[in-house]
Amino acid sequence: MTNATVTAGAATLGPGLAIEAVGLTKTYPGGVRALRGLSLQFPLGSIFALLGPNGAGKSTAVKVLTTLSRPDSGGARVAGYDILSEAEAVRRAIGVVSQKPAGDLDATGWENLMLQGHLYGLAGAELKRRAEQLVEVLSLGEVVNRIVKTYSGGTQRKLDIAIGLVNRPRVLFLDEPTTGLDPDARAEMWETISRLAREGLGVLLTTHYLEEADQLSDRLAIVDHGEIVAEGTADELKHELRGDSVSLQLTDEPPPDSVEAALAAIDGLLNDRSYEAGWLRARVDNGPTALPALLAALDGAGVRVSSASVARPSLDDVYLSHTGHAYNALQEN
Amino acid sequence: MSFAVSSAGHVSARYLRAFARQPYYLAVTLVQPVIWLLLFGHVFERVVQLPGFSTASYIGFLAPGIVVMTALFSNGWSGMAYVTDIDRGVLDRFLVAPVRGGSLIGGQLAYAGLLTLLQSLIILGLGWISGASFAGAGPGILACLLATLLLGTAFASYSNALALLLRKQETLIAMVNFLVLPLTFLSVTFMPSALLPGWIRTLSAYNPVDWAVQVSRQCLSGTADWGYVSLHLALLALLAAACAYLSTRAFGAYRRAI
């Protein structure tokens, strides 16, 4: 890995908000309400993830915030500029990596980088230096003079990121940057994105991978049907669920009455408990210490346990509690 | 202003590089016109014996018409590149850059124009080899190229605008075919005006394809009515400018639809 930084030479990145959006709405011709009052904000130098399934409104949010399309109402400032009245300044301050690989397939990687620079008014030795730097940072040296058509999916995505960085943006939009990548390429992409944020860029990332939002973002928002239903750091969101989840399978499906009686002694220990078809599920503040007490109480009342598990809350649980549907079930639709 | 022009130049260069990688594309676009000019021209060569024809070679008569028709088809497909760019996300990338829609369209039109000039010269050359004589010489050829270029620009703009509005190759192909052949037959491309049925002659006066063929044929044969030529070149220029402007407006419609 090289020492060259991707943002070197960019305008001084003072503290400030990368994006500040308030009440964005957008309805497509045909009546699809893609955004219903979406608001978010996050500072430069951090990664903000919009998490949600396909069709939740993430890409529409990116289109509106990048000035590609206009909101019906609401507004936003990106890198300090108004997306409606200062669209030109916004365009100069942002880089966009859209959902689909957007390199020109019939040109080489280098030609793509050059054209992108020209479209931002860059030229000559300055542009050449910038492109060389990006080729080095993103390890595109071996392929940059080949036609993009011959690139692997992961390499095309790296080129997309290089293209998105040519104009030294302060805010980078990454619309599902790792969709369709194999695990190695995804890990490499995560590493690249983290580095960009450390160097001061504001990164807005959309993803439908819970794990990606969890690992990569400083803050994340869950988008459902065009609005944000939960927002915070991944840890905050998980903590809101009031602790770890405990699942016990009870032998021979004892009747609910006897289970209730057995739990009476430790009533204060369990939150949100449910009992269904032999499965007892509950949330506890601290799983590892609560589990022995729980097992002892059940054992004392003659209720036998055939399996037990404790899990830290996952974003899947967060998603479930805020939207009322499990994330994975939704993905399969 | 200089950014608008330089970025348009870079857009043209992008198309030119792609063309340079697949030069045989030019041959593909010339298959149809060669069939029209050489086969159709020979099959119907004795049609010039009809009273109303003032020329001895039907291929010579046909050549300017085939030049114009080829420009119509070739420019008609120019929107296909936009549909590909839309599908690939390339266009969205360009539209979030500071480059203007006018530069994107202008750069594409400049490339399409260059291709049109190249095709036209090859077709005229084939006609000349096949015995057509162009008494109008240099100035005649220039006027023919200009008329063809202007009509081609109008048609490329029409195609680009449709691509941005419809975003589907099938629909674009249908809309182009819907216009090219009818407009060609409602003109003096295959028959002199005196031999056309009255209603077609009336319609053809409003048909830009007819204007371009008339201007080209008159100037190539050295029998130009300069009043007619200058008026209709001006009309073609107006049409080209109006279509080009409208196609830049189609970006607005595209932004609203996505």
Side-chain angles (χ1 to χ4, degrees):
Chain A
M1 209 31 77
T2 149
N3 286 327
T5 65
V6 185
T7 50
T12 320
L13 299 171
L17 290 176
I19 295 178
E20 184 184 11
V22 181
L24 294 174
T25 70
K26 170 108 183 154
T27 302
Y28 284 112
V32 179
R33 291 178 67 195
L35 296 178
R36 315 180 181 218
L38 184 129
S39 303
L40 64 92
Q41 67 170 54
F42 68 96
L44 291 166
S46 70
I47 302 176
F48 188 93
L50 284 178
L51 172 68
N54 296 327
K58 305 184 306 285
S59 286
T60 305
V62 169
K63 283 175 185 163
V64 166
L65 290 170
T66 57
T67 77
L68 182 57
S69 73
R70 292 168 66 94
D72 298 332
S73 67
R77 298 184 82 78
V78 174
Y81 303 108
D82 189 286
I83 57 167
L84 295 173
S85 61
E86 299 171 295
E88 175 92 25
V90 171
R91 287 174 192 166
R92 291 191 183 280
I94 63 173
V96 186
V97 175
S98 63
Q99 200 167 345
K100 292 176 276 193
D104 178 357
L105 287 179
D106 297 318
T108 66
W110 184 256
E111 287 164 356
N112 269 287
L113 289 169
M114 287 292 113
L115 178 60
Q116 181 77 1
H118 292 312
L119 297 181
Y120 283 80
L122 304 174
E126 183 202 358
L127 172 58
K128 194 161 170 283
R129 262 201 313 279
R130 176 62 178 163
E132 278 165 355
Q133 185 187 32
L134 290 169
V135 167
E136 190 189 340
V137 170
L138 290 160
S139 318
L140 288 165
E142 280 178 30
V143 297
V144 76
N145 289 317
R146 296 216 316 250
I147 302 281
V148 174
K149 217 177 263 177
T150 65
Y151 289 15
S152 69
T155 308
Q156 283 199 29
R157 281 322 246 166
K158 283 202 290 184
L159 176 66
D160 284 329
I161 296 212
I163 287 173
L165 290 170
V166 168
N167 61 315
R168 303 179 193 280
R170 302 175 65 197
V171 178
L172 183 66
F173 292 83
L174 298 170
D175 198 0
E176 308 209 352
T178 65
T179 298
L181 295 190
D182 63 52
D184 284 347
R186 176 169 301 160
E188 194 182 342
M189 187 62 79
W190 285 4
E191 161 61 29
T192 304
I193 295 169
S194 306
R195 196 170 67 228
L196 293 171
R198 285 199 300 274
E199 289 170 13
L201 254 82
V203 178
L204 180 77
L205 169 84
T206 79
T207 182
H208 62 248
Y209 296 119
L210 295 163
E211 191 195 356
E212 186 161 283
D214 200 353
Q215 296 269 320
L216 207 50
S217 66
D218 297 299
R219 292 179 73 77
L220 68 96
I222 293 175
V223 190
D224 192 43
H225 294 106
E227 57 195 344
I228 287 175
V229 293
E231 201 219 301
T233 66
D235 279 344
E236 278 168 10
L237 290 173
K238 291 172 193 170
H239 273 114
E240 279 173 16
L241 291 180
R242 302 202 295 164
D244 304 342
S245 66
V246 177
S247 304
L248 300 177
Q249 190 174 21
L250 307 182
T251 311
D252 300 333
E253 295 193 24
D257 292 351
S258 60
V259 176
E260 279 303 313
L263 296 177
I266 52 163
D267 204 30
L269 198 62
L270 306 179
N271 306 318
D272 305 340
R273 75 170 182 255
S274 69
Y275 176 66
E276 195 185 353
W279 280 92
L280 173 65
R281 293 188 179 86
R283 299 211 161 272
V284 297
D285 292 334
N286 186 326
T289 57
L291 190 59
L294 179 57
L295 291 174
L298 290 169
D299 192 46
V303 176
R304 285 186 300 137
V305 174
S306 53
S307 79
S309 67
V310 176
R312 300 287 307 154
S314 68
L315 270 183
D316 212 349
D317 298 324
V318 174
Y319 193 87
L320 175 65
S321 81
H322 283 285
T323 64
H325 34 251
Y327 193 81
N328 291 329
L330 213 64
Q331 284 298 297
E332 281 154 20
N333 285 343
Chain B
M1 188 61 196
S2 71
F3 173 52
V5 174
S6 70
S7 49
H10 291 297
V11 171
S12 296
R14 173 191 171 214
Y15 291 107
L16 280 173
R17 275 194 301 268
F19 176 67
R21 292 202 168 97
Q22 306 186 316
Y24 52 83
Y25 172 75
L26 184 66
V28 174
T29 68
L30 288 171
V31 171
Q32 285 264 5
V34 165
I35 289 173
W36 281 104
L37 188 68
L38 300 185
L39 296 188
F40 192 83
H42 279 298
V43 167
F44 286 85
E45 66 187 354
R46 296 182 62 180
V47 80
V48 290
Q49 293 170 2
L50 288 171
F53 268 99
S54 53
T55 159
S57 150
Y58 187 54
I59 288 185
F61 177 86
L62 209 50
I66 301 304
V67 164
V68 169
M69 189 171 80
T70 305
L72 276 186
F73 268 118
S74 170
N75 285 282
W77 304 136
S78 85
M80 301 290 267
Y82 271 101
V83 178
T84 309
D85 278 354
I86 289 169
D87 289 344
R88 284 280 305 162
V90 175
L91 185 69
D92 288 359
R93 173 158 67 82
F94 291 170
L95 290 181
V96 297
V99 64
R100 302 279 171 163
S103 298
L104 296 177
I105 290 280
Q108 199 282 333
L109 290 179
Y111 161 73
L114 230 76
L115 200 60
T116 300
L117 288 180
L118 205 57
Q119 290 165 332
S120 303
L121 284 170
I122 292 175
I123 294 168
L124 288 178
L126 283 172
W128 183 73
I129 292 171
S130 315
S133 61
F134 303 119
I141 290 174
L142 281 181
C144 165
L145 293 179
L146 180 61
T148 305
L149 194 61
L150 290 172
L151 184 73
T153 300
F155 216 64
S157 302
Y158 163 79
S159 176
N160 291 345
L162 284 180
L164 291 169
L165 296 175
L166 306 170
R167 307 189 295 280
K168 278 211 169 62
Q169 297 205 335
E170 297 79 7
T171 339
L172 184 64
I173 291 169
M175 295 294 282
V176 169
N177 282 329
F178 176 75
L179 274 189
V180 172
L181 279 181
L183 285 181
T184 305
F185 279 105
L186 293 174
S187 77
V188 294
T189 301
F190 300 110
M191 280 284 162
S193 183
L195 293 179
L196 291 175
W199 65 275
I200 292 186
R201 200 182 316 142
T202 311
L203 281 180
S204 70
Y206 304 97
N207 179 359
V209 176
D210 188 78
W211 307 343
V213 177
Q214 295 259 25
V215 167
S216 299
R217 187 172 290 145
Q218 287 183 20
C219 294
L220 282 175
S221 63
T223 58
D225 168 352
W226 289 108
Y228 180 93
V229 167
S230 43
L231 171 66
H232 286 84
L233 280 177
L235 286 176
L236 285 167
L238 270 177
L239 181 72
C243 288
Y245 173 72
L246 288 176
S247 68
T248 63
R249 303 287 298 168
F251 282 119
Y254 174 78
R255 285 182 192 272
R256 279 190 292 281
I258 58 162

